Amino acid sequence: MKGIILAGGTGSRLNPVTIAVTKHLLPVGEKPMIYYPISVLMFGGIKEVLIIARPEDITQFQRLLGDGSHLGLSIEYAEQPRPTGLADAFVIGADHIGDDSVALVLGDNIFHGPGFQNLLDEHTKDVQGCVLFGYGVKDPERYGVGETDALGRLVSIEEKPLRPRSNRAITGLYLYDNDVIDIAKNVRPSPRGELEITDVNRVYLERDRATMVDLGRGFAWLDTGTPESLLQASLYVRTLEERQGVRIACLEEIALRKGFIDADQCHRLGEALGNSGYGQYVMDIARELSA
């Protein structure tokens, strides 16, 4: 399976700070926002990643992440000059996907909860159709909403409905088989000229090939697109990290635990981060797991 992170857009709701810096590099806790969606793909065992961003932002991502080889990844970049809808990621990333299945994760979404890695392992192995991830919210009218039957198969998808049929918002993590490329290319653009992800999902729904996994209680799904939600996400991350003594979305630790790199490589990555608490944590993890 290939991975795509959609990190485009202007981040206008976070202005004025995003006039100079893409929102996906703003800190959430002590890490850049882009670390969190990368960690999701890594948890799913995905090593080949395409980051789609505005042309003027790609150099910043390259400075931070390079080609990903230090983490045992292969990271490539593609331009999206203007927002053209989430489904455009499959058109832009068609060559990257090739004949494989694909996971798309939005660059400003954070996922964290018990059993998340096992959940991803289960659903990324052999994707047939599309797999969406639902999350219970108190205000489903603000989101795309999915309704499922007893077996988890999607029965309806509504975009910001006035009278939602369920409280399950469709999150910014999507798994698709290879058919998604042709489906996205043949979706009719919206009046604004965008390729909507909901239209892609509806095609799978009409073919009876769409399921939705409930992330369940005790799980956290955070969208960091506004000043308020960015602050909430940072407080959530820092509170858990300080209480539990772990780092959420520590890419070096995930790479080591997944076997993408070895302990010596991990320790060197920690050393390169200087005297920061994050760098010290990476070195401690490397020593712990090499013992």
Side-chain angles (χ1 to χ4, degrees):
M1 173 173 274
K2 303 292 178 57
I4 295 179
I5 297 173
L6 190 54
T10 61
S12 58
R13 291 182 296 170
L14 286 163
N15 277 341
V17 67
T18 45
I19 293 174
V21 180
T22 173
K23 70 176 179 180
H24 304 96
L25 294 180
L26 295 179
V28 178
E30 62 185 344
K31 297 170 290 295
M33 189 187 297
I34 193 72
Y35 272 37
Y36 296 87
I38 293 174
S39 74
V40 170
L41 298 178
M42 292 174 72
F43 276 136
I46 298 169
K47 300 174 72 173
E48 295 177 71
V49 178
L50 177 69
I51 295 176
I52 298 176
R54 296 185 303 171
E56 60 268 35
D57 296 332
I58 286 179
T59 300
Q60 298 178 57
F61 287 118
Q62 289 174 325
R63 187 179 303 124
L64 175 68
L65 301 165
D67 63 2
S69 58
H70 61 293
L71 296 168
L73 305 178
S74 172
I75 298 179
E76 298 179 340
Y77 303 88
E79 297 181 357
Q80 187 185 48
R82 62 181 183 83
T84 46
L86 304 188
D88 193 35
F90 307 116
V91 179
I92 295 172
D95 289 341
H96 170 73
I97 300 168
D99 297 325
D100 215 334
S101 55
V102 61
L104 171 67
V105 58
L106 304 187
D108 60 0
N109 277 213
I110 294 175
F111 296 84
H112 179 259
F116 187 45
Q117 180 169 329
N118 292 336
L119 191 69
L120 289 175
D121 284 341
E122 176 185 352
H123 290 284
T124 56
K125 283 179 181 175
D126 183 25
V127 178
Q128 301 292 326
C130 86
V131 180
L132 310 178
F133 293 83
Y135 186 78
V137 295
K138 65 178 181 179
D139 47 358
E141 64 278 358
R142 293 181 52 227
Y143 302 91
V145 175
E147 179 190 12
T148 60
D149 63 15
L151 298 176
R153 292 177 301 202
L154 269 179
V155 241
S156 71
I157 300 174
E158 302 174 286
E159 189 64 34
K160 298 182 180 178
L162 292 176
R163 295 180 178 83
R165 297 183 184 181
S166 84
N167 72 332
R168 292 294 184 267
I170 297 172
T171 69
L173 172 61
Y174 315 84
L175 310 180
Y176 297 96
D177 63 16
N178 195 257
D179 290 346
V180 73
I181 298 174
D182 287 334
I183 291 172
K185 287 179 178 178
N186 289 289
V187 162
R188 180 176 298 176
S190 71
R192 293 184 299 177
E194 298 181 356
L195 300 181
E196 302 290 356
I197 198 78
T198 299
D199 292 333
V200 168
N201 295 336
R202 283 200 180 106
V203 172
Y204 280 101
L205 176 62
E206 291 165 2
R207 297 178 181 179
D208 195 26
R209 298 179 63 218
T211 59
M212 186 167 73
V213 178
D214 188 359
L215 291 175
R217 298 181 66 177
F219 199 92
W221 167 54
L222 305 168
D223 180 336
T224 55
T226 67
E228 295 77 16
S229 61
L230 181 61
L231 175 60
Q232 290 169 1
S234 291
L235 292 174
Y236 172 84
V237 168
R238 292 301 289 159
T239 299
L240 283 184
E241 290 184 341
E242 289 175 6
R243 281 184 174 270
Q244 298 179 357
V246 299
R247 291 295 199 277
I248 296 171
C250 175
L251 303 186
E252 295 83 358
E253 178 180 5
I254 298 169
L256 177 56
R257 292 187 182 276
K258 296 291 286 186
F260 297 171
I261 61 175
D262 62 30
D264 288 339
Q265 291 172 294
C266 185
H267 194 277
R268 287 195 294 271
L269 292 176
E271 285 182 320
L273 293 168
N275 297 322
S276 68
Y278 183 90
Q280 186 61 55
Y281 175 82
V282 171
M283 288 188 284
D284 289 344
I285 286 293
R287 283 191 289 266
E288 175 186 330
L289 295 184
S290 66

